[in-house]
Amino acid sequence: MTHESQPGAIRSGDEVRRMFGRITRRYDLMNRLMTGGRDVAWRRRSVRAAIGGHALGTARVLDVATGTGDLALALARGGSGEVVGVDFSPEMLAAAAGKSTAADAGDEASRHPTPAWVLADALRLPFPDSAFDACTVAFGLRNMPDYRAALAEMGRVIRPGGRLVCLELTPLRQPVVGGLFGWYFAHVVPLVGGLLSGDRDAYRYLPQSVDAFPDAATLAELMRAAGFEQATWKKLGGGTVALHVAVKGRG
Ligand SMILES: C[S@@+](CC[C@H](N)C(=O)[O-])C[C@H]1O[C@@H](n2cnc3c(N)ncnc32)[C@H](O)[C@@H]1O
């Protein structure tokens, strides 16, 4: 299925929310295992893309689909002035809040802002227009029911000239590498994910949702159509992940 026939996630918002609620406990562990720990470096790179160029401690950043909060916490530790993490899964958000409480207890963390955790749908963000200097979304957009509407809503809350940073799995269409990766993704990930999280279905959905997601060039087009300029991307993880950076137009 392509984005022409399916401009959004292959499952409904309710199904997606319940699914993440079920796999919260093992979510971070599965991320580390599936990516060989590379996801941590990709999030660090996303932080630089979002707040690079801002004076230390000044950028206001919204992390949409924050999940267990890893990117929001990396943004806070990476020099943002204010960080808000939004997710519509109460379980995922509770895990994020638990991590930041634990971090607050340490000495080092007290020098960084503590993210605010907000339970909300990415398609109806409870913030005024232009409230943020940057918006990040990591492995979240693919799960949203309407990509165009989600991009437009993120664009609404970013100030003109501010950045959207989107880290997301991207379809790998090269025959040999894509075939090997496809096999790993379609067979190994659901098996291991099923054993660890007790929810094989969630890790079957993962490769299916990537297959149905727009490729990197098409996603950049969608960003431009939603009012962003200079939508560029870099492939990471051997071409399995795309990091898009787009700037909200001033017009
Ligand atoms: C794969 S996780 C990504 C979590 C985190 N950003 C990360 O990098 O690990 C996807 C998250 O998106 C959230 N999500 C999906 N659709 C959403 C929506 N419409 N509004 C808010 N959150 C959403 C899910 O609840 C889940 O926590």
Side-chain angles (χ1 to χ4, degrees):
M1 202 179 278
T2 67
H3 79 283
E4 274 86 23
S5 56
Q6 176 66 52
I10 55 175
R11 293 195 181 170
S12 73
D14 271 355
E15 285 172 313
V16 166
R17 186 166 38 74
R18 284 198 296 268
M19 182 184 74
F20 281 106
R22 289 195 303 269
I23 63 168
T24 300
R25 212 165 59 84
R26 296 291 195 194
Y27 175 81
D28 288 348
L29 175 62
M30 261 314 278
N31 274 354
R32 298 300 107 80
L33 286 177
M34 277 188 302
T35 67
R38 294 302 298 155
D39 60 310
V40 177
W42 300 335
R43 287 195 190 81
R44 257 190 248 122
R45 203 169 173 140
S46 306
V47 170
R48 291 196 294 275
I51 66 173
H54 283 89
L56 194 66
T58 60
R60 299 159 302 165
V61 192
L62 175 67
D63 183 40
V64 171
T66 197
T68 57
D70 278 358
L71 181 51
L73 290 163
L75 283 159
R77 290 177 189 132
S80 306
E82 185 188 324
V83 180
V84 179
V86 162
D87 203 285
F88 70 174
S89 159
E91 293 88 352
M92 292 292 266
L93 215 52
K99 277 187 202 167
S100 64
T101 308
D104 278 348
D107 289 337
E108 201 212 339
S110 55
R111 279 181 267 132
H112 308 302
T114 302
W117 306 109
V118 175
L119 186 67
D121 193 318
L123 277 83
R124 285 181 299 278
L125 293 169
F127 309 107
D129 296 357
S130 305
F132 297 94
D133 296 304
C135 179
T136 56
V137 57
F139 309 113
L141 183 61
R142 177 174 36 86
N143 302 296
M144 294 183 191
D146 183 335
Y147 306 140
R148 291 180 179 89
L151 290 168
E153 181 62 350
M154 288 188 263
R156 182 185 68 74
V157 301
I158 300 173
R159 67 163 168 79
R163 285 178 217 158
L164 169 69
V165 174
C166 175
L167 178 68
E168 188 53 271
L169 293 161
T170 190
L172 193 59
R173 310 238 192 259
Q174 298 149 6
V176 178
V177 187
L180 281 173
F181 183 73
W183 180 84
Y184 164 77
F185 224 37
H187 297 284
V188 180
V189 167
L191 182 69
V192 178
L195 287 172
L196 279 181
S197 70
D199 195 327
R200 193 163 179 161
D201 173 65
Y203 288 94
R204 256 194 227 116
Y205 158 80
L206 177 60
Q208 291 165 357
S209 68
V210 179
D211 251 6
F213 195 62
D215 62 30
T218 308
L219 181 56
E221 271 170 37
L222 290 178
M223 289 175 175
R224 286 186 208 106
F228 291 95
E229 296 171 351
Q230 307 164 31
T232 56
W233 69 92
K234 182 157 182 56
K235 295 270 183 92
L236 305 169
T240 57
V241 170
L243 176 64
H244 282 75
V245 180
V247 177
K248 180 172 168 181
R250 292 178 189 273

